[in-house]
Amino acid sequence: MTDVDSQFLRGLFDEEGSLHTAGRTALYRLYGLEGLLYVGISVCPLTRVRTHLREQPWGPHVIGIQIDYPDDAEAAERETVWTERPKHNVIFNGRTPPTPPDRAARLRAELALEQRRLEEFETAVPESSTHLRLIARGIKAKRARIAKLTKEVKDAEAAPREVPERPKRVRS
């Protein structure tokens, strides 16, 4: 990535800081010459995009970015990956949708995701005092969500397992 690219993204981040109001989660799409490269979600999408540009082998191929703020970003991400088939997404990009795991497994996966997002917040370097406040707000929200999910995981693991009822065979 060139200095011009870095300056461009830094400028976008400074100019668009107001997009992060109310802690909404963004759905972002990264495009290359061959089409959609990657879809992701983040509360700080431009910081996340910069990370992709810096760390992913396909980062230098990104030529366009689209950022939306859907009501349910996680559901929108699953649907977008499933329908638009970005080249570099691994999760949700199979031939058939993943089978829903049991409640405890789903909660553990969500907990791991929230912990990863908390790490992203904690390692983010603020560009301005506004971004610092947004990052601090995001850290606080993620810690609360992690505490809630941890309790739900324990409750789900302690609950008796639901065994799906087998369909009855009809004999002729």
Side-chain angles (χ1 to χ4, degrees), residues 132-148:
L132 178 60
R133 285 191 302 275
L134 292 170
I135 291 168
R137 186 183 324 154
I139 289 171
K140 183 178 177 183
K142 291 300 172 197
R143 285 184 178 155
R145 181 77 177 133
I146 287 169
K148 181 181 177 201

Side-chain angles (χ1 to χ4, degrees), residues 9-10 31 36 64 67 71 84 113 122 129 133 137 148 151 157 161 165:
L9 287 174
R10 190 173 298 116
Y31 294 92
L36 186 60
I67 300 174
D71 290 333
E84 298 179 28
L113 177 66
E122 290 175 334
S129 59
R133 285 191 302 275
R137 186 183 324 154
K148 181 181 177 201
K151 182 184 180 319
E157 290 174 339
R161 291 200 71 158
E165 192 174 308

